[in-house]
Amino acid sequence: KIDIAVIIMVTSTSIPLIFRKYCSLSDTIDIFIEYLAVYSTYIMVRNIITSEKKKDIFLDIILLGSSLIVIFGIDRLNFNVLQKLYDLTRVSQVSEWRMTSTIGYSNAVFAYIVSLMFIALGKYSITKSKVKSGLYAVYIELAMYAFYYCNSRAGMVIFALIFVLFLIKIKNKNYIFLSLATVIYTYILVVIFDKIKSINYTATMLALEIFISLLVSFILGILMKKISNNIKWKISKKSSITILIGFTSILILYFFI
């Protein structure tokens, strides 16, 4: 069913060509080829990567690649140190004050990075390796930069709702605690970073502060796993969900006000 849906999505990009309703023939053909390449890759991966081990490796590669998108986004939003790379990839310069990275649209960056953050949260919760726990926490911290700098109110509200559903689906109470605590402390680190950045606003300080925040996330990611393993919950899951919904409602009101 997913493969059929993907094929339909690819085919739909040819509609402007069939009815000659395109604004630019060359741009329309480029978009069609890009979609075809992306979804053809998806179908290939869908049928080649079948074992759980291969899926884990593939997801880790995607998370690693996505971390570069966040780094590029932070750089383009500030000093464009990597401008030569953007020139090679033909990425147009933007004057928008929100993070667009190499994708060119802040809401698309938000949706892409934050959706992968849920994958990282899940892998962070279940992994037993200390090093991997820290690395997943680092990715979540990077994803939180996109969450913060894309400044998408609609996206934040949708994220809050999906996050509650994500937590409701989790059966292990320790994993609920881990996910909630991780999202909170990574967001706090980004806010602190943003305040410090405004004091010493140079490319060197920007890189140093990001590195420090990621290092702190790595350490906290390992510590949080140890703490959660020693917690014995006395609160019921229904009570926990009620608290989470209340907390999320407050966040939604905050974003709208």
Side-chain angles (χ1 to χ4, degrees), residues 9-251:
M9 291 178 69
V10 174
T11 307
S12 67
T13 58
S14 64
I15 293 176
L17 291 170
I18 296 171
F19 293 96
R20 297 183 181 181
K21 296 294 183 181
Y22 45 80
C23 57
S24 168
L25 178 59
S26 60
D27 288 344
T28 305
I29 293 174
D30 284 344
I31 291 173
F32 175 76
I33 293 172
E34 287 172 5
Y35 270 67
L36 186 63
V38 170
Y39 291 117
S40 296
T41 303
Y42 160 76
I43 291 175
M44 180 182 69
V45 169
R46 172 86 162 73
N47 291 285
I48 293 176
I49 300 178
T50 54
S51 67
E52 290 298 322
K53 185 177 181 180
K54 289 181 179 179
K55 287 178 182 177
D56 285 338
I57 294 172
F58 181 69
L59 287 175
D60 288 340
I61 292 172
I62 291 178
L63 293 176
L64 180 61
S66 300
S67 65
L68 295 177
I69 292 177
V70 180
I71 292 171
F72 292 156
I74 294 172
D75 177 56
R76 297 192 77 203
L77 199 61
N78 292 276
F79 297 100
N80 289 300
V81 174
L82 305 172
Q83 185 60 48
K84 289 184 179 180
L85 176 63
Y86 308 143
D87 293 338
L88 289 173
T89 55
R90 298 190 303 170
V91 176
S92 58
Q93 182 62 42
V94 291
S95 58
E96 190 174 353
W97 52 274
R98 298 192 299 173
M99 180 187 287
T100 56
S101 187
T102 56
I103 295 177
Y105 186 51
S106 57
N107 286 337
V109 177
F110 183 95
Y112 176 71
I113 298 297
V114 172
S115 61
L116 289 177
M117 184 167 68
F118 285 109
I119 294 175
L121 275 171
K123 291 176 76 66
Y124 168 67
S125 298
I126 63 176
T127 186
K128 295 180 180 179
S129 170
K130 292 181 180 179
V131 176
K132 282 188 175 181
S133 295
L135 291 176
Y136 288 133
V138 167
Y139 178 81
I140 295 167
E141 178 67 34
L142 278 172
M144 198 56 71
Y145 278 114
F147 181 96
Y148 187 83
Y149 287 117
C150 285
N151 197 29
S152 172
R153 288 198 172 191
M156 289 177 179
V157 172
I158 293 171
F159 167 80
L161 294 173
I162 294 176
F163 186 50
V164 170
L165 294 175
F166 173 80
L167 295 174
I168 290 173
K169 292 291 288 183
I170 298 175
K171 296 180 180 180
N172 190 310
K173 293 177 182 178
N174 283 6
Y175 292 171
I176 294 175
F177 165 78
L178 267 177
S179 299
L180 184 61
T182 304
V183 166
I184 291 173
Y185 84 70
T186 49
Y187 183 79
I188 291 173
L189 283 175
V190 171
V191 173
I192 293 172
F193 158 81
D194 191 49
K195 300 303 178 185
I196 296 174
K197 184 191 73 172
S198 61
I199 299 172
N200 297 304
Y201 193 57
T202 63
T204 302
M205 287 303 299
L206 178 71
L208 180 61
E209 288 160 12
I210 291 175
F211 174 77
I212 292 173
S213 68
L214 296 180
L215 180 61
V216 172
S217 296
F218 181 82
I219 296 170
L220 287 177
I222 295 173
L223 291 177
M224 293 302 297
K225 287 294 291 287
K226 288 184 177 180
I227 293 171
S228 68
N229 290 334
N230 297 324
I231 292 178
K232 294 182 179 180
W233 293 89
K234 294 182 179 179
I235 187 171
S236 65
K237 187 174 181 179
K238 288 184 178 180
S239 300
S240 301
I241 293 170
T242 303
I243 294 171
L244 288 172
I245 292 173
F247 176 74
T248 306
S249 300
I250 294 171
L251 283 178

